[in-house]
Amino acid sequence: LALGQPEQAAAQAGLYLVGLSWSLAPGWAFVALRSFMGAVNRPAPGLWIMLAAIPINAALAYAFIFGAFGAPEFGIYGAGLATAIVNLAMCGFAIWAAYALHPFKKYNVMGRFWRFDWQLMRKLLHVGVPISGIFLLEYGVFAAASLLMGYISITALAAHQIALQTASILFMIPFGIGQAATVRVGQALGRGDAEGIRRAGFTAIALAIIFMTGMTAVIALNRFVIPGLFLNEASASSDETAALAATLLLAGATFFIADGVQTVAAGALRGLNDTKVPLAFAIVSFWLIGFTAAYWLAFTAGLGAVGVWIGLTLGLFAYAGMLVTRFVWLTRKGRHEPQLAHRA
């Protein structure tokens, strides 16, 4: 409400967050364990846990929202509560996998967890804090974009969320490729293999471009169908939301490609422990370019919701270009092989 959002939307968001907030600790603990599994080249258990969690979360959320299957009816609060319960279960199964399955159990990942390894903690913070800052800036600009949509109208906010959820689903594939790039580039760095670093990074970037280009075509062709998957009410407001969401999906066609490239390039740079310079790139691209352009195009130029998406796209393109240029510069043949070998 303090940020000028509609009262109805703010009230519903508050109810949802009350239930969802309990998922934070187990949810992020699961992310850490899943990253550990990926780092030792065995990501499958994390995948199977996630695949099982999705239908369970959907069924439990449905039950708690509508009071189905004999469950109490909580409304939108039930959606957050269901996600919290599922995240707790995911964390529990990940801990079990880390202790019971090969090759994880030999690492004793949570042994003596009460004793801090301060030297390792400093290394983790040195690399991790800039990464956290990047994610904060990136997700922050998308949160700010939602606020801008709320200023425009509830219809714009709803259409934005439909388009953004579609982009988020597509984003998971290059996000996974980016995590693989981090692992492979990091392993090549450990071997002192400069050619392996380049091969892993550029292959991952190429995969992201190919996949997201294909998916962009699919989204563009089905932009009138996709909103119907989120809306089930035959009303004038739903029709208006669906039409605007279809427009945003078309306007954001290049958004998907840039989003895929930036997350993979960022992953490749994380494999080189290069996080501080990308943090500076994020400040410039997401906020100085992306948010400024989104605000100006939406309100000063009068483009409304479409202007917000054009601004976000400009920011993502700037960030992707900076990251790819940085990776090319760091791995240029003949310049950085000795440095990479020394760091390894």
Side-chain angles (χ1 to χ4, degrees):
L1 294 176
L3 292 170
Q5 297 305 292
E7 184 175 349
Q8 179 184 3
Q12 292 295 306
L15 286 174
Y16 177 66
L17 285 174
V18 169
L20 186 67
S21 60
W22 296 100
S23 71
L24 292 178
W28 286 110
F30 171 76
V31 169
L33 290 165
R34 186 185 65 192
S35 298
F36 155 71
M37 295 174 184
V40 296
N41 298 321
R42 294 292 187 276
L47 171 63
W48 288 114
I49 292 171
M50 289 293 299
L51 288 176
I54 292 171
I56 294 173
N57 192 35
L60 197 60
Y62 182 85
F64 283 164
I65 292 171
F66 300 108
F69 314 125
E73 183 177 346
F74 291 129
I76 197 169
Y77 165 74
L81 182 61
T83 300
I85 293 172
V86 171
N87 271 271
L88 182 62
M90 291 167 58
C91 181
F93 278 107
I95 293 173
W96 170 82
Y99 270 91
L101 301 181
H102 175 79
F104 310 126
K105 56 185 179 181
K106 70 180 180 181
Y107 294 100
N108 196 25
V109 294
M110 296 182 68
R112 298 184 180 181
F113 66 88
W114 59 89
R115 295 181 60 182
F116 281 86
D117 184 336
W118 294 110
Q119 183 178 2
L120 178 58
M121 187 69 72
R122 283 193 295 271
K123 293 180 180 178
L124 289 172
L125 291 174
H126 179 75
V127 176
V129 169
I131 295 174
S132 301
I134 291 170
F135 282 132
L136 183 63
L137 291 166
E138 180 179 355
Y139 296 155
V141 79
F142 284 101
S146 296
L147 293 175
L148 294 181
M149 292 295 188
Y151 285 133
I152 296 170
S153 67
I154 291 180
T155 297
L157 180 60
H160 171 71
Q161 290 301 321
I162 291 172
L164 192 60
Q165 283 295 317
T166 303
S168 298
I169 292 170
L170 296 183
F171 177 80
M172 291 301 104
I173 301 299
F175 181 70
I177 296 172
Q179 289 185 313
T182 299
V183 173
R184 294 301 185 186
V185 169
Q187 290 174 346
L189 177 65
R191 297 191 304 268
D193 181 3
E195 181 57 35
I197 292 171
R198 285 189 290 271
R199 184 167 59 249
F202 290 128
T203 300
I205 292 170
L207 283 173
I209 293 173
I210 293 170
F211 175 80
M212 294 305 276
T213 299
M215 292 309 301
T216 295
V218 172
I219 294 299
L221 292 173
N222 293 278
R223 63 187 183 276
F224 296 108
V225 177
I226 292 171
L229 301 176
F230 295 84
L231 302 167
N232 62 358
E233 296 180 1
S235 64
S237 61
S238 292
D239 292 342
E240 185 180 356
T241 299
L244 181 55
T247 301
L248 294 181
L249 289 171
L250 184 61
T254 51
F255 171 105
F256 304 123
I257 299 174
D259 201 22
V261 172
Q262 66 89 9
T263 191
V264 172
L269 289 172
R270 283 196 293 271
L272 294 173
N273 293 329
D274 185 54
T275 58
K276 292 182 179 179
V277 173
L279 175 60
F281 290 165
I283 295 171
V284 173
S285 57
F286 288 132
W287 286 94
L288 296 183
I289 297 175
F291 180 77
T292 301
Y295 186 91
W296 188 86
L297 290 170
F299 298 103
T300 304
L303 296 181
V306 175
V308 173
W309 267 66
I310 294 174
L312 293 175
T313 302
L314 292 174
L316 284 171
F317 259 105
Y319 190 51
M322 292 177 187
L323 293 178
V324 172
T325 301
R326 173 74 173 171
F327 186 77
V328 170
W329 187 83
L330 284 178
T331 60
R332 183 171 295 173
K333 190 171 183 179
R335 172 179 289 183
H336 288 283
E337 278 91 339
Q339 179 187 0
L340 294 172
H342 175 70
R343 292 177 65 184

